[in-house]
Amino acid sequence: MNEEKRTEISTLGEFGLIDIISENIKHNHPSSIKGIGDDAAVIGEGEMLRVVTTDMLLEGVHFDLSFTPLKHLGFKAVAVNISDVAAMNAIPTQITVGIGLSSRFSVEAVEELYEGIKLAASHYNVDIVGGDTTSSRAGLVISITAIGEVKKEAISYRSGAKVNDIICATGDLGGAFVGLQVLEREKQVFLSNPSMQPDLEKYPYITARQLKPDARMDIIHEFKELGLVPTSMIDISDGLASELFHICKASDVGVAIYEDKLPIDKQTYDTAFELNIDPTTCVLNGGEDYELLFTISQDDFKKLEKHPDIHFIGHVTEKENGKYLISKSGAAVPLKAQGWSHF
């Protein structure tokens, strides 16, 4: 008797699994413009397009309620979806909210979670238009779908990067990852000695980066004012290196980025050293910063040259040139995508 073949999902990873799932999926409607393979799906016919994205957060996988306030979690659940809308250069308009609840959650707890969701909806000017609630045997589950709109000529895909384009990143990177390490450390200290209070006062910025990220819609509104459309764009959720790999694959290009150009906050840098973690590794592979990574043509450089929160970290190269980090010493080090693993 032949044994049934069994392939562990961990051998493929999230994106290998997505490749298998999406194989041979065909679109039957002309309004289905872009499906699996970008930050959001794109649908519509005409000059105004809709983008649609869904993210699911699971207790014990994506968040730990021992140090994550429910209000913050509600806000974050919305923000991570809005970040995907932003990555398409679109403006969010509506969200739907699905939650799975175990019996340990009270009505007051659900109200606290929804308070964060409603705060985020107000912050990003989106309408909550529906959703679903159900019971869960595995803790709290939150699934949010975000819908946005963008003019056809203004949309940004991962696939538009061209050789000699400038690679840009917003904000600073690595803070959410280092903040998570601090939160996990203080949790372990508390579990070993409940009389010890968490020591978080020294780390306000990085813990906030983990607990309450803010999607960069401000940048998208600025692009609109400047008349600038990035040649490619993606949000930084799984780590800078991983997102660069996505752009390279979709655009069929290579990249060169410079270590001394990578944006890192002083608190992130100092805390990484305190924890014996290489700060550059945090920036490249940390994830959950929800900043924007994008490319622009050389002609658009002047529009952003003096922007205080946009950093020019490298350039796009020919595919055969590969993907490299140029270290502070000038050495070309092959990039490795070692960000968040979902399986």
Side-chain angles (χ1 to χ4, degrees):
M1 184 176 177
N2 293 329
E3 289 188 12
E4 183 179 342
K5 180 182 177 183
R6 176 182 169 86
T7 304
E8 299 298 330
I9 295 175
S10 59
T11 64
L12 298 176
E14 179 192 13
F15 301 109
L17 180 63
I18 290 173
D19 287 341
I20 289 178
I21 292 171
S22 59
E23 191 176 355
N24 298 322
I25 288 181
K26 297 179 181 179
H27 294 161
N28 298 314
H29 302 280
S31 58
S32 300
I33 297 171
K34 180 70 176 178
I36 299 169
D38 219 298
D39 285 69
V42 182
I43 56 177
E45 294 177 276
E47 289 305 306
M48 189 62 74
L49 303 176
R50 293 280 181 182
V51 301
V52 183
T53 182
T54 300
D55 261 310
M56 187 181 298
L57 301 181
L58 280 73
E59 183 178 356
V61 177
H62 301 103
F63 59 89
D64 186 333
L65 288 178
S66 67
F67 53 70
T68 306
L70 285 169
K71 187 182 291 187
H72 284 53
L73 179 61
F75 190 101
K76 181 175 181 176
V78 176
V80 301
N81 281 273
I82 299 301
S83 185
D84 281 333
V85 173
M88 307 301 291
N89 202 33
I91 304 299
T93 51
Q94 292 91 18
I95 60 170
T96 63
V97 181
I99 57 172
L101 298 160
S102 69
S103 59
R104 80 176 198 274
F105 289 94
S106 65
V107 172
E108 289 77 14
V110 176
E111 288 178 330
E112 186 75 1
L113 176 69
Y114 262 87
E115 186 63 27
I117 291 171
K118 288 185 280 189
L119 282 170
S122 175
H123 178 65
Y124 296 116
N125 191 29
V126 297
D127 297 330
I128 303 170
V129 294
D132 188 28
T133 58
T134 186
S135 60
S136 167
R137 296 182 180 179
L140 179 61
V141 179
I142 309 172
S143 179
I144 290 182
T145 295
I147 302 165
E149 59 184 22
V150 58
K151 289 183 178 179
K152 188 175 182 178
E153 67 270 18
I155 196 164
S156 289
Y157 295 102
R158 298 175 182 179
S159 56
K162 302 290 190 297
V163 174
N164 295 324
D165 279 356
I166 300 167
I167 303 170
C168 310
T170 64
D172 57 82
L173 304 174
F177 172 76
V178 178
L180 179 60
Q181 306 315 303
V182 170
L183 290 165
E184 291 282 7
R185 181 189 67 183
E186 295 306 310
K187 174 186 174 181
Q188 294 306 315
V189 169
F190 177 78
L191 289 175
S192 63
N193 184 359
S195 66
M196 294 289 290
Q197 292 300 307
D199 179 21
L200 299 176
E201 290 186 2
K202 294 193 304 181
Y203 315 101
Y205 181 70
I206 58 175
T207 52
R209 291 288 280 171
Q210 169 58 219
L211 296 175
K212 193 184 175 187
D214 190 5
R216 295 309 305 266
M217 281 309 306
D218 58 322
I219 297 294
I220 303 306
H221 289 297
E222 289 183 41
F223 286 165
K224 191 173 182 180
E225 292 172 4
L226 292 168
L228 186 150
V229 178
T231 54
S232 69
M233 187 153 56
I234 189 171
D235 82 324
I236 305 175
S237 56
D238 294 327
L240 175 64
S242 178
E243 314 307 357
L244 284 167
F245 272 59
H246 287 313
I247 286 179
C248 287
K249 180 180 179 180
S251 299
D252 206 31
V253 295
V255 291
I257 61 170
Y258 296 85
E259 185 178 16
D260 62 352
K261 301 295 185 184
L262 299 180
I264 183 168
D265 182 78
K266 185 178 187 302
Q267 189 172 111
T268 303
Y269 189 91
D270 291 346
T271 309
F273 267 107
E274 177 188 330
L275 299 172
N276 294 314
I277 307 172
D278 177 28
T280 299
T281 299
C282 297
V283 170
L284 291 174
N285 300 309
E288 287 203 288
D289 290 304
Y290 298 103
E291 295 290 345
L292 293 173
L293 172 69
F294 59 96
T295 57
I296 59 171
S297 67
Q298 298 276 345
D299 292 341
D300 281 331
F301 173 69
K302 288 290 184 183
K303 294 180 180 179
L304 299 177
E305 183 180 13
K306 296 181 180 179
H307 197 292
D309 208 26
I310 292 176
H311 311 278
F312 308 102
I313 64 172
H315 61 277
V316 179
T317 64
E318 298 281 357
K319 180 181 179 179
E320 54 267 28
N321 290 346
K323 301 176 277 288
Y324 284 93
L325 170 73
I326 311 304
S327 71
K328 293 176 183 177
S329 64
V333 181
L335 274 176
K336 294 182 180 179
Q338 299 172 318
W340 169 256
S341 177
H342 293 259
F343 295 99

